[in-house]
Amino acid sequence: MKMTQRNVTLALLSFLTAGTLLLLISEYFTGIETKFILYTAIGSFVSGILLYIYWRWPDWKPTRYLVVVTISLLIALLTPEPYVTDHASLTIFMPPALALILTSPAWVVGSMILVYLTLLARAGGHGAYANPVTLLISVIILSGMVLGRLIADTAQHAAEVNADNAEAQKQRAEAQARELADANELMSHQLDQQQQLLDLVATLEAPAVPLAQGVLFAPIVGHIDERRAQILTNRLLQDVSAQRARLVVLDISGITVMDTDVARALLNTARAIQLLGCEVTLSGISAAIAITLIHLGVELTGIATARSPQEALARYLSATKPPITTNGNGKELL
């Protein structure tokens, strides 16, 4: 069971009530004086009332202080002789012991002073409680109680501070974890969008448009580098294979700069397409590009050229058109 202030207070009140009841029964059967039986009965009744009040209304904090005050007054006023003048009683430490558990250090000192001074007054300022040794021992014991309570309070405060710090760190860690999860989700979404854009760019970089049955038209625009040349080659090879193309028209009229690397990339792409059994025709070769190719010493061996994609398509359709058969009168036969 978890030890809370409520549980401790209920336990102390229960022990106090049960203890006074047992003492009352013992005094009754041992034939002790009636006034002592009456004192014990009063103490048992009061502790029982306080136990019920605290059990019924646990949030009513004055109950704990009433316990300390009540026990202090009962011990101070009802302690019998010879424990007032001749001998010091250990019961004087019961109120500060209860205050040590139920209240604060100030109440520990206050309850002890109340009991001690009351007993000293009852003895007329003489007797056991006027003895310096008794007073010194009482002060030492009381100081130990107070110091112990202060140390316990300090340790409890430090534990509460550490618990609060740990809870705050836990909340910050949970908040950071949520932020990281949100950031990770956002990053994943952005990566997906970026990949879609890259796929779109790759498609736009290497478009392949069917011109006719078995003919693909691939316009090339802008600068050709190694990455784009690889994308262009892979895309055209996939389209040629998927559509069983017989001719690919590479239109290079949109190329801005022609150098050795660009020319080599175009030739490698054309030869890769030819390895699939597909013909390649370069269209859109301008005068400037033609002069550049001559200066670079680039030979287009095995690759047909055309001035425009329309010319390349017309040439292909003419070459693949079936021959016309006629009869003896020169009329075409269907």
Side-chain angles (χ1 to χ4, degrees), residues 59-115:
D59 295 331
W60 197 57
K61 295 183 179 179
T63 304
R64 293 183 284 134
Y65 301 99
L66 286 176
V67 171
V68 176
V69 173
T70 302
I71 298 302
S72 299
L73 292 176
L74 288 176
I75 292 177
L77 298 176
L78 303 181
T79 298
E81 291 288 356
Y83 299 106
V84 177
T85 56
D86 296 335
H87 302 286
S89 176
L90 293 178
T91 57
I92 63 174
F93 296 107
M94 182 180 294
L98 291 175
L100 184 69
I101 300 173
L102 300 178
T103 58
S104 62
W107 282 78
V108 176
V109 177
S111 62
M112 184 64 182
I113 292 176
L114 173 63
V115 173

Side-chain angles (χ1 to χ4, degrees), residues 42-243:
I42 293 174
S44 178
F45 176 76
V46 172
S47 61
I49 292 297
L50 292 175
L51 174 61
Y52 173 78
I53 291 175
Y54 194 75
W55 175 80
R56 185 66 177 80
W57 297 283
D59 295 331
W60 197 57
K61 295 183 179 179
T63 304
R64 293 183 284 134
Y65 301 99
L66 286 176
V67 171
V68 176
V69 173
T70 302
I71 298 302
S72 299
L73 292 176
L74 288 176
I75 292 177
L77 298 176
L78 303 181
T79 298
E81 291 288 356
Y83 299 106
V84 177
T85 56
D86 296 335
H87 302 286
S89 176
L90 293 178
T91 57
I92 63 174
F93 296 107
M94 182 180 294
L98 291 175
L100 184 69
I101 300 173
L102 300 178
T103 58
S104 62
W107 282 78
V108 176
V109 177
S111 62
M112 184 64 182
I113 292 176
L114 173 63
V115 173
Y116 201 93
L117 292 180
T118 303
L119 291 174
L120 184 62
R122 288 178 59 191
H126 303 286
Y129 298 103
N131 189 334
V133 176
T134 303
L135 179 60
L136 179 61
I137 293 175
S138 300
V139 170
I140 293 174
I141 295 175
L142 182 64
S143 300
M145 289 182 177
V146 173
L147 290 176
R149 178 57 187 267
L150 291 175
I151 293 174
D153 289 345
T154 303
Q156 181 180 2
H157 178 70
E160 291 175 353
V161 171
N162 292 333
D164 293 340
N165 292 335
E167 181 65 24
Q169 292 178 357
K170 178 182 177 182
Q171 292 178 357
R172 285 196 296 269
E174 291 176 350
Q176 291 176 352
R178 289 192 295 268
E179 291 177 358
L180 289 176
D182 294 340
N184 185 37
E185 183 178 357
L186 178 60
M187 184 176 296
S188 299
H189 180 66
Q190 291 176 345
L191 289 176
D192 292 339
Q193 290 182 334
Q194 184 178 8
Q195 185 60 45
Q196 293 176 359
L197 290 175
L198 290 176
D199 295 340
L200 177 59
V201 170
T203 302
L204 295 176
E205 284 183 339
V209 182
L211 288 181
Q213 183 67 31
V215 180
L216 292 179
F217 172 59
I220 304 175
V221 180
H223 178 68
I224 299 293
D225 55 13
E226 183 178 357
R227 182 193 65 84
R228 191 178 179 195
Q230 184 65 35
I231 294 175
L232 175 65
T233 303
N234 293 338
R235 180 64 184 274
L236 289 177
L237 290 177
Q238 293 175 2
D239 291 342
V240 168
S241 177
Q243 301 185 30

